[in-house]
Amino acid sequence: MVEKEDKSKPDARVPRTIIILFETKKNDGSLNNIQIIKLKDKLGTRQLPTAELLLDGTSAVRVSELGRGVAEISNMLTISRIHTALMAISNMRKDLFLRFDEIIPERIHISDLGKGVAGISSMLTLTRIHNAVAACSSMRKLLMLSKDYSLKREAFGNRLYNYPLHVQTLARLETEVRAATLFVFQAVSLLSKQESGKATEDELHLLRLLTPLIKLYTGKQAMSVSSEGLESFGGQGYIEETGLPNFLRDAQVLTIWEGTTNILSLDVLRCISKSNGQALISLQNDVDNKLSGTPSELSKKQRSYKWL
């Protein structure tokens, strides 16, 4: 519980927290002046309902000193956080033990065995880039909402944007999203040159090599950014009516559509093998060209690392 802030006083202190204990029911079995406003529609853990309550005249006992709320509850937080970690591990273990034939129905083959990738390769370039663009747009939208929320949400007497750690988190996400967007639109530019017949041999090799890498990277990145982005909203990031859980739910498919991580990794190796290593040389040429336009000191440091 947080002490009410008195903004009428110029020297008002930051609101202080306390812990209170109240029973949900009185001795006669009736509710302790508690009104259930609504049950919240959450992304998950629906077997553990979360409610919005109105406490009007509710009898309670203060169990901590004013301003000692967080300190007094720390022991319980240790137990609850270890419980959360155990639940995470148990869920991961359960997923690993699921039988494949229990979740995937019988399939019908529509191509010759071993010819699936070859038959669809031309379309994969386009769909994988589309997948990466979708990942970048989703990350950008969520980050914009998170930035706007930080300008309006107050916690402990200050707007979120006034807390350096929160700003650092948003800045890190901004860097991730900008880098991903630049990476994706390099592939878009290469695809444009290929379709117009203006791509050089190096650019064709580069497009073939970067497409699975970009799809893999942005798909994984969208999951990470979406999770961190929802966290920046606190509990509201988990409530369905805010629309925020959609970001995380929809981001999961971006790692699955158009090739999972292992499939994309094998595709990169196939590209290198079929080009007899020329794809890697084209990548090095592209990196060298970009470094030539950077400040000399940075360029010198980067060139000192021979990764081929």
Side-chain angles (χ1 to χ4, degrees):
M1 184 175 180
V2 182
E3 178 187 26
K4 186 176 180 180
E5 181 182 8
D6 187 358
K7 295 185 178 180
S8 64
K9 299 179 181 180
D11 59 343
R13 293 174 296 180
V14 174
R16 295 168 291 179
T17 60
I18 60 172
I19 300 177
I20 62 171
L21 172 67
F22 63 87
E23 294 185 358
T24 57
K25 293 185 178 181
K26 301 177 183 179
N27 293 333
D28 61 3
S30 61
L31 288 176
N32 182 14
N33 294 320
I34 300 172
Q35 296 182 44
I36 301 176
I37 304 302
K38 64 178 177 180
L39 291 177
K40 297 194 174 183
D41 188 11
K42 302 186 293 183
L43 171 66
T45 64
R46 297 187 177 186
Q47 66 273 29
L48 182 65
T50 300
E52 188 174 305
L53 306 177
L54 175 62
L55 308 180
D56 186 9
T58 305
S59 300
V61 179
R62 193 177 74 180
V63 295
S64 76
E65 298 297 327
L66 188 59
R68 294 287 298 170
V70 175
E72 293 294 337
I73 205 173
S74 60
N75 288 335
M76 189 180 75
L77 285 176
T78 299
I79 297 173
S80 62
R81 286 168 178 170
I82 292 175
H83 176 270
T84 297
L86 289 173
M87 184 172 65
I89 293 171
S90 67
N91 279 336
M92 290 187 287
R93 174 57 60 189
K94 181 180 178 182
D95 288 343
L96 287 174
F97 274 98
L98 277 175
R99 289 180 54 194
F100 180 79
D101 57 1
E102 290 178 349
I103 57 177
I104 303 295
E106 184 178 355
R107 298 179 178 182
I108 301 175
H109 295 288
I110 56 174
S111 69
D112 294 334
L113 188 61
K115 294 294 185 179
V117 175
I120 202 174
S121 60
S122 59
M123 189 178 72
L124 281 177
T125 298
L126 181 61
T127 56
R128 285 172 176 172
I129 291 177
H130 178 274
N131 197 94
V133 171
C136 288
S137 64
S138 176
M139 289 188 287
R140 171 55 63 192
K141 182 177 181 180
L142 180 57
L143 183 55
M144 289 178 67
L145 289 172
S146 184
K147 287 180 178 179
D148 183 66
Y149 187 72
S150 73
L151 299 175
K152 300 172 182 176
R153 169 65 172 167
E154 289 190 10
F156 301 104
N158 257 316
R159 300 286 174 87
L160 291 180
Y161 73 87
N162 286 320
Y163 292 105
L165 194 57
H166 189 78
V167 173
Q168 183 188 57
T169 298
L170 294 182
R172 187 177 69 251
L173 293 177
E174 176 66 33
T175 302
E176 290 274 339
V177 176
R178 286 194 187 191
T181 304
L182 290 172
F183 195 20
V184 169
F185 276 89
Q186 180 183 9
V188 172
S189 176
L190 291 171
L191 180 62
S192 175
K193 290 182 178 181
Q194 180 201 50
E195 291 182 343
S196 62
K198 298 179 180 179
T200 65
E201 184 179 353
D202 269 354
E203 288 172 333
L204 291 175
H205 283 302
L206 196 59
L207 175 63
R208 177 68 182 89
L209 179 66
L210 290 184
T211 298
L213 288 175
I214 288 173
K215 189 274 171 185
L216 186 159
Y217 179 71
T218 56
K220 293 286 190 183
Q221 194 179 29
M223 284 294 299
S224 174
V225 170
S226 295
S227 179
E228 190 82 24
L230 260 62
E231 189 176 336
S232 71
F233 290 90
Q236 295 301 316
Y238 204 66
I239 304 302
E240 288 289 354
E241 64 189 37
T242 66
L244 295 171
N246 286 336
F247 286 96
L248 184 58
R249 187 163 44 242
D250 291 347
Q252 181 62 75
V253 80
L254 297 174
T255 63
I256 298 172
W257 278 349
E258 313 312 325
T260 58
T261 300
N262 289 345
I263 294 298
L264 294 169
S265 300
L266 292 173
D267 198 26
V268 169
L269 292 177
R270 187 182 300 109
C271 168
I272 296 172
S273 176
K274 285 194 172 183
S275 67
N276 294 319
Q278 183 59 46
L280 289 179
I281 296 174
S282 298
L283 177 60
Q284 183 178 30
N285 291 339
D286 183 67
V287 172
D288 288 341
N289 289 336
K290 285 181 170 59
L291 288 177
S292 65
T294 61
S296 58
E297 191 64 26
L298 176 61
S299 181
K300 183 179 179 181
K301 289 180 181 179
Q302 296 291 339
R303 286 174 181 273
S304 65
Y305 177 53
K306 296 298 183 181
W307 50 275
L308 267 182

